[in-house]
């Protein structure tokens, strides 16, 4: 009898799905709590070490000093100004370089011969540490935001160009032939096959580029600047104000993580078809 | 006694005799790395009749892929020609030869509906019209529920069916199949053989199947052309027609003539293991 009743009961499918989701969220919450605990414990140990004179706060900084310094910078608005300056230059250079680079890389699919001729130059440019160009860029564009944008642009442009170009050349020849047998023109093959097939490559370059853009931008700030997190770190480092340096470093970490998350979020949204 | 019955010399009565495509003295040579001329195909001369299902069977390494590429017009023969007998209606886009490979070549970023209507899209058919046609085809061949699904959520057999619909929807005169089942498991394969033969027969298509699977060729074909080792020539042409007689490939495999044909073709292929 009980077997019959259980058969009659409709299986609550929706509920199990939402339950699984809830469970996943719970696990994530627990993981995040553990992570927060690690950070907290680290700071506590650091502070205890300083208090017990194991750690020299002049050379290493100390959590309480960092907190006070951060609070001061937030109050004066300096931290916000620096964060905004760095983020602005990074994002502008990143978007410009990545988008233009991807377009140029895709366009090279059309011009096979030109691509072949230019190939060694791309490789050379790609292997060059872009920060080596900073002194020149600063002479050309000044010590303001434009030189930082230019640096982030160059750092990302070459990566995007190479990735898009390589991606578009790894498309299965069978797919191209199939399009052709259906009567596709070269332009149609480009628009309906090459661009979408290269998209995952382009976006993965975006993910790398957000890091490269930040490196180039902060490097530029180290060399010559008036604002920005790089400026903050560099100036305070010269003054041996380690607590302020830590504020800059931590802020930079948070900025980098946020930018990375932002790009991966977009990636997920764009490639719903790829999920399993 | 039965073996003699199995190989009638006259063309099967059920096949309408007009020639759809003539392969005339096709020859293909390649140059290897040291500049030696390698003869892959010596002479293929074959008339393919309108509305028939013909298989080309050869030992492995006999240049099947080369043959496929030449018939599909992806590769120029070194000499000889392919003559299409049917005049192509004006304004009809795309190749008169559609094909289907072992891999389905569906675009992972497109829904099944957008995949099967690709040929219509390339020809500039308005969206509403091509979607109507696509949906009609899909529901007719059991994929109606998957119109808006992405290829990764379909089984291998379903994907191959979708690939066939994509080929059929642009109405090519001749359909070329290159081992379309070899990536599928045995059961799916038997079912799909039947399905595809009946679909193609319904449309009255001329079909050329290139395969190394003797059983598959016998079960599906009206005629079988057996090739020699490299350099490839046509060795023997068999009239089969079992699937047309029974209306089913599965039943064709149970006929006594099936085994006789198998033995004869096997002998023709002259396959020896372990070197020359």
């Amino acid at each position: 009898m009980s077997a019959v009743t259980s058969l009659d009961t409709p299986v609550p499918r929706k509920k199990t799905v939402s339950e699984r989701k809830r469970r996943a969220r719970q696990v994530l919450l627990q993981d995040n709590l553990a992570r927060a605990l690690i950070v907290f414990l680290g700071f506590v140990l650091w502070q205890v070490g300083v208090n017990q004179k194991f750690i020299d706060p002049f050379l290493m900084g100390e959590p309480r000093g960092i907190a006070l310094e951060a609070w001061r910078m937030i109050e004066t608005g300096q931290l916000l100004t620096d964060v905004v300056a760095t983020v602005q230059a990074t994002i502008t250079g990143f978007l410009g370089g990545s988008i233009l680079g991807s377009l140029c890389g895709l366009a090279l699919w059309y011009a096979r011969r030109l691509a072949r001729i230019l190939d060694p130059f791309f490789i050379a440019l790609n292997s060059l540490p872009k920060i080596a160009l900073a002194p020149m860029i600063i002479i050309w564009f000044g010590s303001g935001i434009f030189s930082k944008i230019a640096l982030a642009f160059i750092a990302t442009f070459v990566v995007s160009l190479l990735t898009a170009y390589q991606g578009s050349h790894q498309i299965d020849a069978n797919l191209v032939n199939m399009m052709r047998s259906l009567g596709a023109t070269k332009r149609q093959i480009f628009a309906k096959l090459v661009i979408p097939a290269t998209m995952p490559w382009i976006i993965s370059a975006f993910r790398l580029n957000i890091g490269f853009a930040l490196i180039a931008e902060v490097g530029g700030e180290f060399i010559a600047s008036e604002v920005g997190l790089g400026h903050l770190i560099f100036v305070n480092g010269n003054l041996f104000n380690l607590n302020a340096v830590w504020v800059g470093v931590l802020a930079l970490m948070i900025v980098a993580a946020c930018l990375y998350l932002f790009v991966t979020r977009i990636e997920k949204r764009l490639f719903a078809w790829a999920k399993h | 006694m039965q073996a003699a019955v199995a190989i009638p010399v006259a063309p099967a009565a059920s096949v309408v005799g007009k020639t759809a495509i003539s392969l005339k003295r096709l020859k293909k040579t390649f140059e290897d790395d040291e500049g030696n001329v390698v003869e892959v195909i010596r002479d293929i001369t074959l008339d393919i009749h309108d509305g028939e299902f013909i298989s080309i069977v050869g030992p492995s390494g006999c240049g099947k892929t080369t043959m496929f590429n030449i018939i599909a017009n992806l590769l120029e023969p070194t000499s000889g020609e392919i003559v299409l007998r049917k005049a192509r209606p004006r304004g009809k886009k795309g190749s008169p030869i559609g094909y289907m490979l072992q891999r389905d070549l569906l675009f992972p970023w497109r829904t099944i509906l957008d995949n099967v209507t690709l040929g219509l899209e390339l020809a500039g058919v308005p969206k509403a019209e091509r979607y109507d046609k696509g949906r009609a085809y899909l529901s007719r061949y059991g994929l109606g529920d998957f119109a808006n699904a992405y290829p990764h959520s379909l089984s291998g057999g379903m994907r191959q069916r979708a690939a066939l619909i994509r080929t059929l929807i642009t109405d090519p005169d001749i359909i070329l199949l290159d081992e379309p089942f070899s990536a599928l498991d045995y059961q799916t394969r038997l079912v799909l053989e039947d399905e595809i033969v009946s679909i193609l027969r319904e449309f009255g298509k001329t079909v050329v199947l290139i395969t190394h699977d003797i059983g598959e060729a016998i079960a599906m074909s009206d005629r079988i052309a057996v090739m020699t080792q490299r350099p490839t020539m046509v060795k023997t042409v068999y009239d089969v027609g079992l699937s047309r007689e029974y209306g089913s490939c599965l039943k064709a495999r149970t006929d006594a003539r099936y085994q006789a044909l198998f033995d004869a073709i096997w002998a023709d292929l002259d396959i020896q293991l372990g070197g020359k």
Side-chain angles (χ1 to χ4, degrees), chain A residues 172 177 181 188 192 273 275, chain B residues 95 99 103 121-122 152:
Chain A
D172 188 345
N177 286 337
S181 83
Q188 283 176 322
K192 294 181 198 296
W273 53 263
K275 75 163 184 273
Chain B
S95 162
Y99 58 79
R103 288 184 36 227
E121 186 180 328
L122 295 172
H152 70 75

Side-chain angles (χ1 to χ4, degrees), chain B residues 65-131:
Chain B
T65 310
T66 311
M67 220 182 309
F68 170 86
N69 285 333
I70 290 174
I71 301 176
N73 207 8
L74 300 169
L75 198 66
E76 281 285 312
T78 309
S79 66
E81 56 175 345
I82 300 173
V83 184
L84 282 163
R85 296 293 173 178
K86 227 188 204 169
R88 192 100 172 121
R90 259 166 180 261
K92 207 169 175 183
K93 274 186 93 179
S95 162
I97 300 175
Y99 58 79
M100 191 173 151
L101 306 181
Q102 179 183 334
R103 288 184 36 227
D104 53 64
L105 300 179
L106 296 172
F107 293 165
W109 56 86
R110 280 177 173 243
T111 61
I112 293 301
L113 184 61
D114 278 325
N115 263 299
V116 299
T117 55
L118 178 64
L120 302 175
E121 186 180 328
L122 295 172
V125 176
K127 196 168 191 168
E129 195 181 317
R130 65 173 192 257
Y131 275 11

Side-chain angles (χ1 to χ4, degrees), chain A residues 97-108 118-119 121-123 125-126 156-168 198 202 205 209:
Chain A
S98 301
I99 291 170
L100 263 175
S102 303
L103 289 178
C104 290
L106 279 172
L108 281 176
L118 294 180
D119 192 61
F121 299 124
F122 298 146
I123 304 286
L125 256 181
N126 194 40
T156 52
F157 180 84
V158 187
V159 175
S160 270
L161 183 141
L162 264 179
T163 316
Y165 160 65
Q166 280 167 354
S168 69
T198 313
I202 289 175
N209 272 345

